[in-house]
Amino acid sequence: MPTTLAPSRPAGSPASIDLGDARERLVRHRIYGLVDSAARLRQFMESHVFAVWDFQSLLKAMQQRLTCTSVPWVPTPDPEARRLVNEIVLDEESDELPEGGSASHFELYLDGMRKAGADTGPIERLLAMLSSGSPLPQALASCGAPPAAAEFVRESFAVIDSGSTPGIVAAFTYGREDVIPDMFRGLVSSLADRDPAWHRFRYYLDRHIEADDEKHAPTCRRIVARLCGDDTATWAEASRMARGCLESRIKLWDAIAAEIEAAGR
C-alpha cells in the first residue's frame, strides 16, 4: 500500500541517521585494491552479481510503498517521492546503452561478466528457478550461489519482509544509493584501463556513480527525512536498517576478499 509521508523534518531537529563507523569501514575496505587482475575480477563479479540483482528487489519494494503499483490507480501523497522512485526504476530497468538500445543495469552487469569470462551459471539458475515459480529460499539454496552472496541476499530480503517503509527506504538510501558512488570509485581506481575485457564492467560502475551521486542519493535522503519526521523512534528504526545493510555489505566484502587472498591469483 502507498505510504503517507510525515511533514519534512524541521531544520535543527536532532534526529538523523546514525551509521556509526560502518560507512567509513565499507568505503575503506581492502577489497578495492585486491581486484587487480582478470582472474580476481571474475571472482569478485561471481559473488557481487547477487547484490546487483537484489538491489532491484529492494528498489521494487520501495516503489510499492511510495507509488501506486496496483489497479485501480490512486494518487500517492508525495509527488517528489513518486518522481524519484520512478526515475530510479527507469534508470535501473532500462538505461541507455552507449551503442544504442537499452538494458537494465543488472543485464549490463551480466554482459560485463560474460565479456570478462566470469561464470554466470549460478545467477542465471536463480533467475530460471524464480521464473518457474520456485520460492526464493529454495532457489537461493539450489542455484550454486557463493555462500556469502546467498547470505547477503537473505539479509536484503529480511529488510524487504520487515514491512517497514522508513526502514526499507533508509536501507536503500544509505545502504545502496548514498554509499555506492564512493564504494565504486575504489573499484574504478583499481581497474583503470588495464584490460579491454573489463570495459563493460567499468561502464556499469561509471553509470552508477554518475546517477547515484548526482540524482538519486540526495533526493532519497530527503525522502527518509520526510518519512521519519520528528519521530525519534522511527529515526532509530531507519538507522538500524541502514546500518545493518552496510554491515551486511562489509561481511560480503570480507568473504570475497578472503577468497581472493586464499586463491593468490
Side-chain angles (χ1 to χ4, degrees):
M1 292 293 293
T3 297
T4 301
L5 298 185
S8 297
R9 180 169 55 94
S13 170
S16 62
I17 293 293
D18 177 12
L19 300 176
D21 67 347
R23 190 184 193 283
E24 182 178 359
R25 287 188 288 118
L26 180 56
V27 170
R28 295 179 179 275
H29 202 281
R30 72 188 190 280
I31 189 71
Y32 312 116
L34 288 173
V35 183
D36 60 359
S37 71
R40 288 180 167 187
L41 173 64
R42 289 191 290 269
Q43 196 170 5
F44 173 84
M45 296 177 90
E46 287 163 7
S47 288
H48 180 234
V49 66
F50 287 87
V52 177
W53 171 76
D54 79 1
F55 173 95
Q56 302 285 352
S57 292
L58 195 58
L59 171 58
K60 286 298 184 180
M62 191 170 77
Q63 186 184 32
Q64 288 175 349
R65 285 158 177 79
L66 298 179
T67 75
C68 181
T69 58
S70 60
V71 177
W73 178 87
V74 293
T76 49
D78 192 280
E80 181 182 17
R82 199 163 60 226
R83 174 68 179 246
L84 169 75
V85 172
N86 288 331
E87 283 184 349
I88 296 175
V89 170
L90 176 64
D91 289 344
E92 292 294 336
E93 287 192 328
S94 51
D95 200 6
E96 295 179 357
L97 297 176
E99 67 273 16
S102 59
S104 69
H105 285 177
F106 172 75
E107 291 164 316
L108 180 62
Y109 196 96
L110 275 184
D111 187 44
M113 288 183 71
R114 295 182 185 109
K115 285 181 167 56
D119 181 11
T120 62
I123 189 66
E124 290 181 321
R125 283 193 292 274
L126 175 70
L127 296 178
M129 293 178 72
L130 293 174
S131 295
S132 67
S134 295
L136 176 62
Q138 177 184 331
L140 198 59
S142 304
C143 71
E151 180 60 21
F152 182 88
V153 171
R154 282 190 285 268
E155 291 179 4
S156 294
F157 273 82
V159 171
I160 293 170
D161 293 341
S162 73
S164 166
T165 299
I168 290 168
V169 177
F172 183 83
T173 300
Y174 293 95
R176 303 294 179 109
E177 299 290 67
D178 178 73
V179 74
I180 278 175
D182 287 340
M183 190 172 67
F184 281 0
R185 283 189 189 99
L187 279 173
V188 168
S189 175
S190 177
L191 291 175
D193 293 314
R194 294 189 177 110
D195 189 327
W198 300 9
H199 290 175
R200 198 63 160 181
F201 180 53
R202 171 73 182 267
Y203 179 76
Y204 162 85
L205 296 177
D206 286 339
R207 290 296 291 169
H208 258 291
I209 291 170
E210 177 185 355
D212 295 348
D213 220 8
E214 296 177 5
K215 298 190 300 181
H216 300 166
T219 309
C220 277
R221 288 192 290 269
R222 291 197 297 272
I223 291 173
V224 171
R226 291 177 65 82
L227 281 166
C228 295
D230 255 351
D231 189 332
T232 55
T234 305
W235 279 104
E237 178 186 16
S239 295
R240 179 178 60 81
M241 291 284 203
R243 191 165 55 246
C245 193
L246 292 172
E247 294 289 355
S248 181
R249 176 81 68 159
I250 290 168
K251 285 195 299 183
L252 177 62
W253 271 194
D254 286 346
I256 299 173
E259 290 170 2
I260 288 174
E261 289 164 340
R265 293 179 291 181

